[in-house]
Every structure is written in C-alpha cells, then in structure tokens.
Amino acid sequence: MVLNYIWAAFFLVAFAVALGRTVFCGDAGVWSEMMQGSFSAAALAFEVSLGLTGILSMWLGLMKIGERAGVIGFFGRLVSPLFCRLFPGVPKGHPAMGSIFMNVSANMLGLDNAATPMGLKAMQELQSLNKEKDKATDAMIMFLILNASGLCFIPISIMMYRAQAGAANPTDVFLPILLATFVSTLVGIVALCLKQRIRLADPVLLGWLGGMMAVIAAMVWVFSGMDGERVERYSGFIANFLLFSVIVGFLLAGMRKRLNMYETFIEGARDGFKTAVTIIPYLVAILVGIAVFRASGAMDMLTSWTRDAVAWLGCDTSWVEALPTALMKPLSGSGSRGLMIDLMNTYGADAFVSRVSAAIQGSTDTMFYVLAVYFGSVGVRKTRYAVGYALLADVSGSVAGVLAAYLFFG
C-alpha cells in the first residue's frame, strides 16, 4: 500500500511542479520532457529486463546444479545459526537459507550481476512458504532490507568510475563506503528485529554482528596500509576468485553426485528466462514514475530548498551538491550513478563533493529497483512495512556516507 502511494506521488508532484513552471515561468517544454522521459524509461525497463535474461539464465542454471549437488544446502547449514534468528519463519534446513547466503555473499563482494539472480532464487524459495501469495512475509521483508541496505565490502565499480574520471587515488573512498554501508545494514537489521520482535540480546545474533564488526575493522586496518593500486588489484582479485571458486565448487559437487549437469543447467536457465519476463511490468511502473519526477524539475527544487535550509542553519553546505545522488539512490541506480559521474566531471574526481557522492553511492542499493524486481518476481503486491524500513536503512547509509566523507576528507 505504501508503494502504491509513493508511486502515485511521483506523478502528482511532477504534474504540480510542471504546471507551476508553465504558469509562472512560461516553460511549456517541460510537458514534452516528461513524456519523452516516460517513453525512455519504459524502453529502459525492457532493456534492463532483457539484459538480465542472460545473466539470470546463467546463474539460475548454476544454482540449480548447486542445489541438486547439495552445495546450497551446505551453505544453508553453515549460516543456519544466524539466519534461524533473523528468519524465524523459515524452517531449519530449508533451501531458502542457502540461496539467501549466496545472495548476501555476492552483494558483499560487489558482484551485482551475480547477486540479483541468487536473490530472485531466494525470493522464490521464500514464496513457497508464503500462505498469502500476494502479501510479503516477515522473512521476505528481512531479506529485502538485507539487499536494500547493500552491505558491500569491495565497491569495485565505484573505484573503477573514479579511476576513469582521473582520480589521483581511486580507492581512497573505500573506507568511507565500507563504514557507510555497514551502518546502513546494521540500522536496517536492528530496526527490523525490533519490529518483528526478534530478540537482539540473543548470544548467537550478537556474536555474528560482533564478528561482522571485527571483519570490517580488520579490513580497514589491512587496506589502510596499502596504496591505491594495491587496494584495487587485491580487492578485485579476491571478489572474482571467490565467485569463480563457487562455480567450480558447484560443478565438482555435481560430478561427485553424478548429475547430468548440462540438463540440470538448462532446467534452471529456463526458470531464469521466465523470471526476467515476469519483472518487466514492475520495472516499467517504477522507472516511468521516477523519470517523470526527475523531468518535471521536482528533484532540482528539492536540492535547492535543502541548500537554503542548511545555509540558514549555519552549517557547511559543501556536501549539498551531492544530495541529488542521495535522493536518486533509492529510485534509480543508473540515475544516481550518472549524477555521481556528473559531479566528478564538473568538480573533479578528487573534489570533496565528488567523494561525498561516491560514499553515498556505495552506502546502499537501489531500494525501489530491489523492491520492484524481487517482489515483482513472485507477484507480491502488498509490501506491508517494507518500504518504510528500507528507506530508514537508505537514509542512514546516506547520512553515514556524508559523515564518513567529512571524517576522512573534511
């Protein structure tokens, strides 16, 4: 229901802003811009789904091999102590546990193309436990928040964009992003545990969260002693080596089980194709609403008002130019990425505002995209409180990104 109101608000606010620009500024061209934006966004939604088709087919094919070979079940048992606390509605040993682990692991390594198919597989497994097929369960919402908060240990793509923009040290945003994305995930998990009445004082849960904090502290310590080139080289190697090792592990386990791996892969790949087709309408709805909102000028107005408010409070406004990245982040990953790149091109890759934008970009995933794709893939329309808590994680990550940038670069 919340998503329904937000989606409608995109169009209503865009209409009001465009009408104001026409009446008071004589800008009649805004209507053409909004219509062109809506057509382009609809085409983009189809292109995104089409691009996902091959990736989904490949990964769901591999996941099917891993599932039948018992590897997914092994991963599920590995993280069962933690996930049994976070997902109390999922039976112990259920295939969903392994799929969730694979998805979260891929996100941590910054492997978006691998994470999405694994996430869709996990959502399908969770839907098999759902008694009300059009309504999100508590487990689905927890899983969505884990994805929307986007915990990422190795932000390869952002470092690559900074290198292309001529940054003296493309990896200098690594630590601010790591801190921001951890804060986002921690806030999301704690808030949902309180909402779903999951006991935070559980020793196992505290142990896992403490372990994550220790891993992040260790990574900060190790990578802070390396130069930018070594950070980029080692982080990229670790992420891709681990991912390809998983693929090889699936195949070796399949051989050990004497599976017909080719036919098993084809069976899983067919599911990937069907899933890619299923999400098209949901992506069209979300991306068109976002495009109209942007084209109307509403986003620019919001940024301008925020700058004036920050200045009135007597606070530093150096970060405000990065605000559009924060506002666009939950709406459009490509849009926020484009805003980040535009700032780097305008002010320079090493400008403070460019670093703030990069920290915000890496702090969370694209919330509404995740919402549309994951819930849309299983036909869930009643998202309950998912949007509000995903926004909480998103805002927390953006604020943490700004503060971390001030801590390291201010």
Side-chain angles (χ1 to χ4, degrees):
M1 186 61 70
V2 175
L3 182 59
N4 174 53
Y5 291 134
I6 292 176
W7 183 73
F10 287 150
F11 292 91
L12 295 176
V13 172
F15 179 82
V17 172
L19 188 61
R21 288 176 60 178
T22 303
V23 173
F24 298 107
C25 304
D27 183 8
V30 64
W31 303 99
S32 175
E33 293 175 10
M34 288 196 299
M35 291 309 302
Q36 289 177 1
S38 65
F39 294 149
S40 298
L44 176 63
F46 179 76
E47 291 173 8
V48 169
S49 299
L50 191 63
L52 278 175
T53 303
I55 298 170
L56 283 171
S57 297
M58 181 187 77
W59 279 106
L60 291 187
L62 290 168
M63 289 284 285
K64 182 65 73 174
I65 294 175
E67 180 183 338
R68 292 191 176 170
V71 180
I72 301 299
F74 169 76
F75 286 139
R77 292 189 296 274
L78 187 68
V79 296
S80 180
L82 172 64
F83 283 179
C84 282
R85 270 75 176 178
L86 293 179
F87 302 92
V90 179
K92 189 174 181 179
H94 192 275
M97 294 296 194
S99 298
I100 292 172
F101 173 79
M102 296 294 294
N103 166 261
V104 172
S105 299
N107 274 326
M108 287 181 177
L109 296 173
L111 303 168
D112 297 338
N113 289 343
T116 300
M118 295 172 182
L120 292 172
K121 178 66 174 176
M123 189 61 78
Q124 290 168 358
E125 298 285 2
L126 292 174
Q127 179 71 335
S128 68
L129 299 170
N130 191 2
K131 296 180 180 179
E132 299 181 59
K133 298 301 183 183
D134 65 338
K135 183 178 180 180
T137 64
D138 285 350
M140 286 179 170
I141 296 174
M142 177 65 79
F143 177 63
L144 178 83
I145 298 304
L146 288 176
N147 275 269
S149 61
L151 180 61
C152 178
F153 287 170
I154 308 176
I156 298 172
S157 60
I158 294 176
M159 294 189 292
M160 178 190 68
Y161 288 126
R162 286 182 49 76
Q164 291 175 341
N169 182 6
T171 60
D172 60 8
V173 296
F174 170 74
L175 297 182
I177 289 175
L178 184 60
L179 292 176
T181 188
F182 178 71
V183 168
S184 171
T185 301
L186 185 63
V187 168
I189 290 176
V190 170
L192 263 190
C193 284
L194 294 174
K195 172 66 176 178
Q196 298 181 358
R197 298 183 179 179
I198 296 172
R199 191 163 68 95
L200 281 169
D202 186 283
V204 174
L205 191 56
L206 289 176
W208 275 85
L209 292 177
M212 288 174 60
M213 294 178 68
V215 169
I216 288 178
M219 291 182 67
V220 170
W221 180 74
V222 170
F223 284 110
S224 62
M226 297 183 183
D227 56 45
E229 183 180 351
R230 291 176 66 198
V231 170
E232 189 173 1
R233 182 171 68 250
Y234 286 128
S235 61
F237 165 75
I238 291 170
N240 290 292
F241 174 78
L242 290 177
L243 182 64
F244 201 79
S245 296
V246 169
I247 295 174
V248 172
F250 283 175
L251 297 177
L252 290 176
M255 293 173 64
R256 182 173 175 271
K257 289 279 188 176
R258 299 181 183 274
L259 294 178
N260 185 335
M261 290 186 288
Y262 180 78
E263 291 298 329
T264 304
F265 178 89
I266 295 299
E267 182 181 343
R270 287 197 186 101
D271 294 336
F273 180 82
K274 294 175 183 176
T275 301
V277 173
T278 301
I279 66 177
I280 292 176
Y282 297 89
L283 275 182
V284 170
I286 289 295
L287 294 185
V288 168
I290 293 169
V292 169
F293 185 79
R294 287 187 63 191
S296 70
M299 183 71 74
D300 294 334
M301 290 178 59
L302 191 56
T303 303
S304 178
W305 292 343
T306 303
R307 184 186 297 106
D308 293 341
V310 171
W312 181 78
L313 291 171
C315 300
D316 182 31
T317 60
S318 301
W319 62 273
V320 176
E321 292 298 329
L323 180 62
T325 304
L327 296 175
M328 185 58 62
K329 183 62 180 174
L331 306 175
S332 168
S334 59
S336 61
R337 191 180 307 115
L339 291 169
M340 177 188 70
I341 294 171
D342 180 68
L343 283 176
M344 289 192 289
N345 291 335
T346 302
Y347 297 98
D350 291 326
F352 176 72
V353 69
S354 299
R355 286 166 164 162
V356 172
S357 181
I360 292 173
Q361 176 70 14
S363 64
T364 57
D365 207 335
T366 309
M367 189 201 78
F368 283 105
Y369 173 83
V370 171
L371 202 75
V373 171
Y374 283 14
F375 281 155
S377 68
V378 293
V380 168
R381 297 192 301 274
K382 300 175 183 177
T383 59
R384 300 172 67 202
Y385 52 86
V387 175
Y389 281 80
L391 279 174
L392 174 63
D394 188 272
V395 171
S396 300
S398 294
V399 172
V402 174
L403 295 178
Y406 272 101
L407 176 65
F408 285 92
F409 310 119

